[in-house]
């Protein structure tokens, strides 16, 4: 084991060799040029909407949990509710809170209501300010966690929508589940550009939490190229279905694919995926609520990260295409710079070369680092362009690739018995 | 390059002057953003937002010579706000994706990268931030204190506590820790 300082130092060297990407100047310049002359602080409404939808996309891809209850219908959130939430709300499964406070910039925050069950707490809120809230949204209100008796529930994702005049935002935030022993809950949030922490406490009626429908163990494992994925339990509540498990997969995070290729199939139909979380070796997959009448349930382990050992020796020249076990590799440029030999390549987004080196006669130089990675959107896929840097001055003849990490089809099924 | 002169020009509304100021420190700015965001894509998004904020607010900068410390503080705050929106999981994920950049073969450097991100993940946000700034970005205590808006002593203590935690972790049992719950 190396000393911590030594390892930190190595990381520092790596950071020091990192330079701003080639399009740095152009991107900043365009951002600046798109900014109107000063004093016109408000951004255009369409920019706002785009920002919010991007944010929704980012947030939605994580954490949903839930507990359910009977109560009144929460109004005004139709547009940002998923199908299941909308159904439950129509049935009056929400708890109306209607508690207000004023934020530092004069914006009024209203906690409209919550919906809870064993998997999550969903909070519905409104921000309104006649001066406009839209362009400050992220700065105004950032929910952090909900605390209470035996409760410390972190915020996961959420969605929000700005109205046309930019004076009101309706949003939802998903939290970890809260304890049924809590009678009062406190929402902690950050507000303002300086991120001041504030809180607001409201009453909670745990008897109105929705009942869990299914909670059972799965205990099935799938062997993958570089390890094993074990699905342990399933907990289904009216708002969501959570599958928990453990994994020991060496190359899980070498590509960005994650658990996208694992689907939950109920009565033959795919259940909407609400996101997933990975924490150490544990993971949880979150799906929408299950249908009321359930005949069959299965997990389709269709695609996951795979590894293929290769021994490819690729002759190097600019603008060439190569086939790696059916996957595309384009070599775009090979140049020598003061950093060494730089080879710019392009592959599918979810393909990572492993154990790469270059060869010049008998001399083999391993890869030092990869820089300037950039995603490109092609007609039917995303590709990734990046430049590999090798610490040598001699122009190489060949590129050696010992393996690839990629999205592999496993096509396995795990049946979950339903009573 | 005369920073004060350029800042004054930028205050009068010159976008060129502002660009010149940023370009002179582009690598440092990029590394700072990358350290927080963990990948080029998010880092560049935040930098774009930063330059817009700088342009809109440069009128409020009283001491022209403090331009870089002021702009980096804004950059740090923007990174934190963005991360807070993306939430915890993204933090961890991005560390992993930045690691994709290094496919150093036949050495233990991949393992090493992983170890570093794993070790950092046991720290709280403040400790991690301070350690990254000190060790990866080579900043001094005073600069870190200015950028993160806390007293010098707090920075030293965060780094000291963080290092100690990492050393304890390095030596001890570590397989079943839940990163999300460690503060």
């Amino acid at each position: 084991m190396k000393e911590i300082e030594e390892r930190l130092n190595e990381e520092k060297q790596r950071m020091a060799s990192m330079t701003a990407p080639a399009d740095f100047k152009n991107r900043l310049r365009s951002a600046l040029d798109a900014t109107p002359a000063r004093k016109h602080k408000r951004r255009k409404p369409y920019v706002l909407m785009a920002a919010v939808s991007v944010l929704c996309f980012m947030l939605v891809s994580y954490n949903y949990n839930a507990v359910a209850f009977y109560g009144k219908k929460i109004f005004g959130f139709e547009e940002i509710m998923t199908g299941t939430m909308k159904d439950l709300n129509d049935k009056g499964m929400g708890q109306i809170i209607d508690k207000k406070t004023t934020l530092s910039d004069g914006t009024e925050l209203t906690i409209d209501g919550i919906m809870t069950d064993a998997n999550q707490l969903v909070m519905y809120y409104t921000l309104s300010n006649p001066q406009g809230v839209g362009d400050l949204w992220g700065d105004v209100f950032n929910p952090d966690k909900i605390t209470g008796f035996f409760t410390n529930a972190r915020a996961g994702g959420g969605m929000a929508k700005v109205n046309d005049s930019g004076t009101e935002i309706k949003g939802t935030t998903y939290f970890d589940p809260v304890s049924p022993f809590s009678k009062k809950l406190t929402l902690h949030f950050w507000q303002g550009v300086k991120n001041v922490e504030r809180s607001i406490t409201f009453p909670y009626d745990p008897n109105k939490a929705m009942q869990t429908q299914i909670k059972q163990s799965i205990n099935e494992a799938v062997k993958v190229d570089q390890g094993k994925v074990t699905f342990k339990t399933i907990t289904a509540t009216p708002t969501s279905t959570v599958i928990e498990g453990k994994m020991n997969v060496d190359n899980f995070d070498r590509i960005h694919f994650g658990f996208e290729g694992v689907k939950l199939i109920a009565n033959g139909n795919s259940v909407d995926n609400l996101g997933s979380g990975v924490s150490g070796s544990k993971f949880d997959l979150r799906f929408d609520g299950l249908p009321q009448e359930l005949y069959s349930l299965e997990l389709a382990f269709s695609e996951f990260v795979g590894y293929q050992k290769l021994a490819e020796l690729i002759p190097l020249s600019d603008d060439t295409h190569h086939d790696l076990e059916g996957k595309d590799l384009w070599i775009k440029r090979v140049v020598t710079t003061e950093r060494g030999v730089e080879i710019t390549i392009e592959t599918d987004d979810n393909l990572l070369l492993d154990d790469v080196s270059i060869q010049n006669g008998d001399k083999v130089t391993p890869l030092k680092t990869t820089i300037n990675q950039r995603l490109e959107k092609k007609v039917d896929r995303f590709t990734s362009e990046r430049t590999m840097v090798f610490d040598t001055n001699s122009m190489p003849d060949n590129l050696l690739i010992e393996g690839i990490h990629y999205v592999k089809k496993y096509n396995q099924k795990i049946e979950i018995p339903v009573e | 390059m005369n920073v004060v002169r350029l800042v004054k020009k930028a205050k009068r509304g010159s976008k060129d002057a502002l660009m010149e100021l940023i370009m002179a420190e582009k690598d440092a700015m990029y590394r700072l953003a990358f350290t927080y965001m963990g990948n080029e894509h998010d880092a560049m998004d935040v930098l774009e937002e930063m330059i817009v904020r700088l342009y809109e607010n440069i009128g409020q900068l009283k001491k022209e010579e403090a331009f870089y410390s002021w702009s980096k503080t804004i950059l740090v705050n923007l990174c934190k706000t963005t991360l807070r929106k993306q939430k915890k999981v993204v933090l961890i994920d991005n560390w992993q994706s930045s690691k994709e950049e290094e496919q150093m073969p036949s050495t233990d450097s991949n393992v090493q990268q992983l170890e570093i991100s794993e070790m950092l993940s046991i720290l709280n946000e403040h400790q991690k931030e301070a350690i990254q700034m000190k060790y990866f970005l080579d900043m001094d205590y005073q600069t870190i204190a200015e950028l993160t808006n806390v007293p010098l002593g707090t920075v030293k203590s965060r780094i000291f506590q963080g290092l100690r935690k990492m050393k304890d972790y390095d030596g001890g049992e570590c397989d079943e820790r839940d990163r999300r719950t460690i503060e």
Side-chain angles (χ1 to χ4, degrees):
Chain A
M1 272 281 185
K2 286 185 200 161
E3 289 303 314
I4 300 275
E5 281 86 353
E6 195 181 334
R7 279 188 252 167
L8 291 172
N9 197 35
E10 281 170 30
E11 183 66 11
K12 170 175 148 187
Q13 313 255 312
R14 191 183 73 87
M15 284 304 289
S17 68
M18 182 186 283
T19 55
D23 59 352
F24 185 92
K25 188 172 186 178
N26 287 340
R27 286 192 56 176
L28 264 58
R29 184 80 229 187
S30 343
L32 199 50
D33 287 346
T35 313
R38 250 180 258 139
K39 294 194 178 83
H40 295 263
K41 279 199 167 180
R42 296 196 45 118
R43 278 175 243 163
K44 299 253 164 55
Y46 70 87
V47 178
L48 274 180
M49 287 311 297
V52 170
S53 56
V54 166
L55 194 62
C56 291
F57 176 74
M58 293 188 315
L59 296 181
V60 161
S61 57
Y62 174 48
N63 247 357
Y64 283 56
N65 261 4
V67 194
F69 25 143
Y70 335 97
K72 291 181 188 153
K73 190 169 164 183
I74 300 164
F75 288 102
F77 292 87
E78 292 75 12
E79 283 188 77
I80 52 170
M81 278 188 187
T82 61
T84 302
M85 288 297 174
K86 203 165 173 322
D87 291 348
L88 292 169
N89 188 43
D90 287 345
K91 289 180 192 154
M93 299 294 238
Q95 257 185 62
I96 303 279
I97 303 292
D98 202 23
K99 183 112 188 194
K100 292 180 202 302
T101 183
T102 305
L103 305 179
S104 54
D105 70 334
T107 299
E108 187 182 63
L109 163 70
T110 309
I111 310 292
D112 298 281
I114 55 173
M115 247 188 228
T116 66
D117 67 22
N119 280 342
Q120 67 185 353
L121 177 147
V122 186
M123 177 183 79
Y124 297 88
Y125 65 90
T126 306
L127 295 167
S128 67
N129 188 338
Q131 311 297 316
V133 276
D135 54 351
L136 288 170
W137 180 46
D139 293 336
V140 168
F141 176 62
N142 276 308
D144 183 31
K145 61 184 175 183
I146 286 182
T147 58
F149 192 60
F150 282 131
T151 295
N152 185 11
R154 287 199 171 277
M159 281 172 272
K161 192 171 190 306
V162 191
N163 68 351
D164 291 339
S165 56
T167 54
E168 185 184 85
I169 290 167
K170 290 239 173 235
T172 62
T173 304
Y174 298 85
F175 293 84
D176 291 340
V178 296
S179 161
F181 298 111
S182 297
K183 296 282 198 246
K184 269 195 300 188
L185 295 174
T186 302
L187 168 73
H188 302 260
F189 57 94
W190 303 85
Q191 63 153 5
V193 200
K194 292 203 163 156
N195 280 315
V196 181
E197 197 176 356
R198 288 268 311 270
S199 65
I200 173 171
T201 301
F202 52 87
Y204 170 58
D205 183 354
N207 293 324
K208 290 182 177 172
M210 290 180 274
Q211 300 303 305
T212 301
Q213 293 164 326
I214 297 177
K215 185 170 177 70
Q216 66 185 58
S217 66
I218 304 174
N219 272 337
E220 294 267 1
V222 178
K223 218 176 149 326
V224 294
D225 286 347
Q226 294 204 323
K228 195 169 81 166
V229 181
T230 311
F231 298 94
K232 297 220 146 181
T233 59
I234 178 168
T235 306
T237 64
T239 66
S240 67
T241 308
V242 176
I243 289 171
E244 292 181 297
K246 285 189 89 165
M247 69 171 162
N248 179 8
V249 179
D250 288 344
N251 64 341
F252 174 71
D253 48 30
R254 300 315 307 269
I255 61 174
H256 297 286
F257 194 66
F259 280 93
E260 275 174 51
V262 180
K263 315 240 183 276
L264 182 66
I265 315 280
N267 298 346
N269 300 317
S270 180
V271 182
D272 284 348
N273 184 346
L274 303 180
S276 62
V278 176
S279 168
S281 63
K282 293 180 199 155
F283 65 84
D284 57 56
L285 314 181
R286 287 156 193 277
F287 298 92
D288 205 354
L290 297 175
Q292 292 237 305
E293 300 230 352
L294 189 63
Y295 315 112
S296 74
L297 192 60
E298 66 180 26
L299 264 177
F301 194 89
S302 311
E303 294 174 329
F304 201 71
V305 60
Y307 184 83
Q308 169 85 49
K309 213 169 158 39
L310 299 177
E312 292 282 332
L313 191 63
I314 294 173
L316 279 169
S317 55
D318 289 3
D319 290 316
T320 49
H321 172 264
H322 307 271
D323 186 286
L324 297 177
E325 296 282 322
K327 317 275 183 300
D328 295 316
L329 166 72
W330 292 271
I331 298 194
K332 309 192 91 170
R333 271 181 309 282
V334 185
V335 291
T336 50
T337 68
E338 74 272 15
R339 273 195 294 253
V341 170
E342 294 190 15
I343 303 178
T344 303
I345 59 164
E346 187 174 344
T347 66
D348 268 347
D349 174 29
N350 271 320
L351 178 73
L352 187 69
L353 309 184
D354 183 47
D355 215 349
V356 181
S357 49
I358 50 175
Q359 190 191 45
N360 177 359
D362 289 342
K363 192 176 162 217
V364 172
T365 311
L367 177 63
K368 182 181 173 210
T369 186
T370 308
I371 56 173
N372 295 343
Q373 179 164 347
R374 135 189 18 231
L375 279 188
E376 305 266 345
K377 192 174 186 318
K378 293 284 157 69
V379 183
D380 55 343
R381 57 180 168 178
F382 281 93
T383 62
S384 152
E385 186 186 293
R386 65 261 193 194
T387 300
M388 303 189 291
V389 183
F390 299 86
D391 200 3
T392 173
N393 294 320
S394 45
M395 203 61 177
D397 306 319
N398 294 305
L399 178 68
L400 288 153
I401 304 170
E402 302 285 341
I404 47 173
H405 304 278
Y406 68 109
V407 176
K408 177 175 175 173
K409 290 199 186 329
Y410 285 92
N411 289 330
Q412 297 204 34
K413 292 217 158 105
I414 295 172
E415 285 196 28
I416 301 169
V418 287
E419 277 103 51
Chain B
M1 195 183 73
N2 185 331
V3 175
V4 173
R5 188 179 55 83
L6 283 172
V7 173
K8 284 186 174 156
K9 268 177 89 174
K11 277 186 168 177
R12 289 195 295 271
S14 164
K15 291 180 176 175
D16 291 336
L18 183 58
M19 275 306 290
E20 198 177 333
L21 284 162
I22 296 302
M23 287 308 287
E25 283 279 307
K26 66 172 178 164
D27 289 339
M29 296 257 178
Y30 178 69
R31 280 173 208 149
L32 182 57
F34 191 97
T35 305
Y36 276 94
M37 305 312 294
N39 66 61
E40 176 179 330
H41 180 80
D42 290 343
M44 286 304 296
D45 282 353
V46 175
L47 284 159
E48 281 183 357
E49 202 175 336
M50 174 200 74
I51 200 159
V52 172
R53 295 278 178 111
L54 294 184
Y55 180 69
E56 286 174 345
N57 298 312
I58 196 164
Q60 298 166 16
L61 176 64
K62 298 286 177 286
K63 285 193 293 184
E64 276 89 9
E65 59 272 25
F67 173 79
Y68 286 114
S69 137
W70 173 73
S71 52
K72 284 175 187 168
T73 309
I74 289 181
L75 179 60
V76 166
N77 285 336
L78 282 172
C79 287
K80 287 183 185 171
T81 310
T82 312
L83 285 174
R84 202 160 278 136
K85 288 173 191 165
Q86 296 181 359
K87 291 299 164 196
K88 300 261 168 195
V89 160
V90 180
L91 269 172
I92 294 165
D93 279 355
N94 280 347
W95 254 103
Q96 291 163 346
S97 66
S98 72
K99 195 181 61 222
E100 177 185 9
E101 320 295 292
E102 289 72 35
Q103 313 144 19
M104 296 177 94
S106 65
T107 72
D108 59 356
S109 59
N110 278 334
V111 176
Q112 173 132 348
Q113 200 83 47
L114 231 170
E115 280 173 2
I116 288 175
S117 72
E118 193 173 294
M119 287 192 308
L120 286 173
S121 73
I122 68 160
L123 306 181
N124 71 33
E125 268 179 60
H126 297 309
Q127 292 164 342
K128 177 172 159 187
E129 175 180 51
I131 288 204
Q132 286 181 326
M133 284 183 165
K134 169 101 172 68
Y135 288 97
F136 300 171
L137 300 176
D138 208 16
M139 292 179 179
D140 57 44
Y141 291 118
Q142 186 59 43
T143 309
I144 300 172
E146 280 166 20
L147 291 191
T148 54
N149 199 22
V150 294
L152 195 64
T154 310
V155 173
K156 288 182 181 169
S157 140
R158 283 173 181 175
I159 289 174
F160 175 75
Q161 299 291 350
L163 277 183
R164 200 174 64 175
K165 228 184 200 180
M166 285 164 85
K167 281 179 181 161
D168 288 350
Y169 176 80
D170 202 29
E173 291 292 316
C174 57
D175 43 350
E176 275 299 308
R177 292 192 190 211
D178 182 344
R179 291 172 198 180
R180 278 191 300 196
T181 59
I182 288 178
E183 286 296 313

